[in-house]
């Protein structure tokens, strides 16, 4: 299921709030038209304005499509799961790229482990790439629901290394479609 873009939701919300009846013939709409009410739009969303990729960025979902090298490396399932779990696809792709070395690590290739996920003293093994990615998103969503909502907060708990700045740099690179990898 695809979610509506925020701009469409603002328009629909404004129409419903104003009591506008949509898709009725003009005569019928006039017969049922409620009295006009003022509409206040509290947030304006610019579709072409990406979030600021910083350590303090909220990691909730936003629209993004990979280009350049990322388009050939980032699994399609990652984009679908990002939307399903309401996690930024750029943040998740940056974690995937860092943890798998652009999809080339043995943990990813042999165990479908996209993010260094540990099972005791070894890396967890998943039956499929989608299963491994789903587990990565479950962890990210769990962190988010427990108050770890920024890149810095999640990486502090997730990673043994101080790699927040690397994740931010990768997010910027991925968002720009840089093919230098």
């Amino acid at each position: 299921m695809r979610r509506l873009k925020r701009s469409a939701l603002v328009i629909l919300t404004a129409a419903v709030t104003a009591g506008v009846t949509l898709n009725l013939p003009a005569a019928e709409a006039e017969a049922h038209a409620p009295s006009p009410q003022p509409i206040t739009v509290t947030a304006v969303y610019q579709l072409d304005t990406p979030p600021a990729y910083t350590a303090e960025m909220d990691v909730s979902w936003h629209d993004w499509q990979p280009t350049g090298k990322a388009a050939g490396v980032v699994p399609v399932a990652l984009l679908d799961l990002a939307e399903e779990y309401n996690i930024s696809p750029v943040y998740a792709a940056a974690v995937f790229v860092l943890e798998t070395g652009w999809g080339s690590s043995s943990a990813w290739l042999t165990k479908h482990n996209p993010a260094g996920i540990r099972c005791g003293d070894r890396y967890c093994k998943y039956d499929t790439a989608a299963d491994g990615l789903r587990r990565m998103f479950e962890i990210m969503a769990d962190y988010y629901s427990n108050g770890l909502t920024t890149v810095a907060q999640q990486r502090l708990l997730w990673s043994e290394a101080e790699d927040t700045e690397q994740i931010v740099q990768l997010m910027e690179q991925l968002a720009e479609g840089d093919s230098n990898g």
Side-chain angles (χ1 to χ4, degrees), residues 32-80:
H32 296 96
S35 60
Q37 297 177 7
I39 299 173
T40 304
V41 177
T42 57
V44 177
Y45 182 71
Q46 300 294 328
L47 291 177
D48 297 332
T49 306
Y53 296 110
T54 68
E56 298 310 313
M57 180 191 99
D58 184 281
V59 298
S60 62
W61 188 87
H62 59 88
D63 198 18
W64 174 71
Q65 289 298 315
T67 59
K69 182 176 181 178
V73 175
V74 174
V76 173
L78 184 142
L79 301 174
D80 293 338

Side-chain angles (χ1 to χ4, degrees), residues 125-138:
K125 182 175 182 173
Y126 301 95
D127 292 332
T128 67
D131 290 344
L133 288 167
R134 181 168 297 281
R135 182 63 186 132
M136 180 180 86
F137 278 99
E138 288 170 350

Side-chain angles (χ1 to χ4, degrees), residues 107-114 117 119 122-136:
W108 173 245
L109 297 173
T110 63
K111 298 179 181 214
H112 305 296
N113 188 324
I117 302 166
C119 290
R122 58 184 172 74
Y123 289 112
C124 299
K125 182 175 182 173
Y126 301 95
D127 292 332
T128 67
D131 290 344
L133 288 167
R134 181 168 297 281
R135 182 63 186 132
M136 180 180 86

Side-chain angles (χ1 to χ4, degrees), residues 9 18 25 29 31 33 49 52 71 89 96 102 120-121 128 131 138 143-144 149-150 157 159 164 166 168 172-173 179:
L9 291 174
T49 306
F96 172 82
W102 288 92
D121 61 351
T128 67
D131 290 344
E138 288 170 350
Y143 287 176
Y144 194 89
T149 60
T150 68
L157 186 59
S159 180
T164 300
Q166 287 176 284
V168 169
E172 290 171 344
Q173 181 180 348
S179 60

